[in-house]
């Protein structure tokens, strides 16, 4: 059977033979009482096989943390994100700590459109605005009010066209 543990955060991958063999993971319960050192108690799960699924890493705005996005694709590090604060790449970091190779970390999907909160227009987190809005007649205009691309082009091509546009003074 498969053991599922809810309300927990993996803290490290437990390895053997200098990272050549993964034998389990360590985790902390997010809703648990604190240990005598004032930190959550660390638990271990050992297994014959471990499957690591990591999710995203594009939320690069965690205070005091160097983002994987800044390391992998510096030109995107200052862009607003539609990723949530859980997408920090903790699983990727844990794998790298034991010597795992990572590939294609610079292959980040940058979504060309997102909703801007009028109450907080410079927020680094935005809500995804789907292609359906552009498909139903929404148009994109630059800072001069001019349409600069076909809204129905591929996402990567439209993102490139947006990135070529001059930025406003505020950087938003």
């Amino acid at each position: 059977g498969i053991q599922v543990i809810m309300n927990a955060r993996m803290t490290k991958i437990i390895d053997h033979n200098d990272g050549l063999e993964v034998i389990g993971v360590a985790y902390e319960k997010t809703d648990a009482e604190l240990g005598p050192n004032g930190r959550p108690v660390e638990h271990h799960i050992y297994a014959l096989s471990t499957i690591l699924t990591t999710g995203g890493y594009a939320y690069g705005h965690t205070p005091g943390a160097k983002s994987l996005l800044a390391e992998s694709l510096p030109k995107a590090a200052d862009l607003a994100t539609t990723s949530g604060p859980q997408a920090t790449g903790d699983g990727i970091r844990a794998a790298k700590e034991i010597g795992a190779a990572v590939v294609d970390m610079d292959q980040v999907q940058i979504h060309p459109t997102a909703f801007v909160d009028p109450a907080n227009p410079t927020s680094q987190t935005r809500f995804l605005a789907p292609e359906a809005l552009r498909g139903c007649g929404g148009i994109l205009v630059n800072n001069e009010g001019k349409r600069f691309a076909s809204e129905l082009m591929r996402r990567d091509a439209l993102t490139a066209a947006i990135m070529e546009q001059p930025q406003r003074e505020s950087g938003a």
Side-chain angles (χ1 to χ4, degrees), residues 14 16 21-22 24 38-39 56 59 61 70 80-82 91 93 96 100-102 108 116 123 126 128 134 155 157:
I14 304 169
H16 183 64
E21 181 182 5
V22 173
R39 295 188 35 80
Y59 187 86
H61 310 293
T81 183
T82 56
R93 288 181 196 281
K96 286 174 69 174
V102 295
V108 175
V116 175
S123 172
R126 309 274 168 90
L128 185 65
R134 297 190 310 274
R155 188 182 297 169

Side-chain angles (χ1 to χ4, degrees), residues 4 18 21 24 31 33 49 51 61 64 68 70 78 80 86 96 107 109 111 113 118 121 127 134 139 142 166:
V4 177
D18 292 323
E21 181 182 5
D31 58 354
E33 62 190 59
S49 298
I51 298 171
H61 310 293
L68 285 174
D78 292 331
Q86 74 282 355
K96 286 174 69 174
Q107 299 301 305
Q109 176 178 286
H111 203 285
T113 52
F127 184 78
R134 297 190 310 274
I139 63 169
N142 63 17

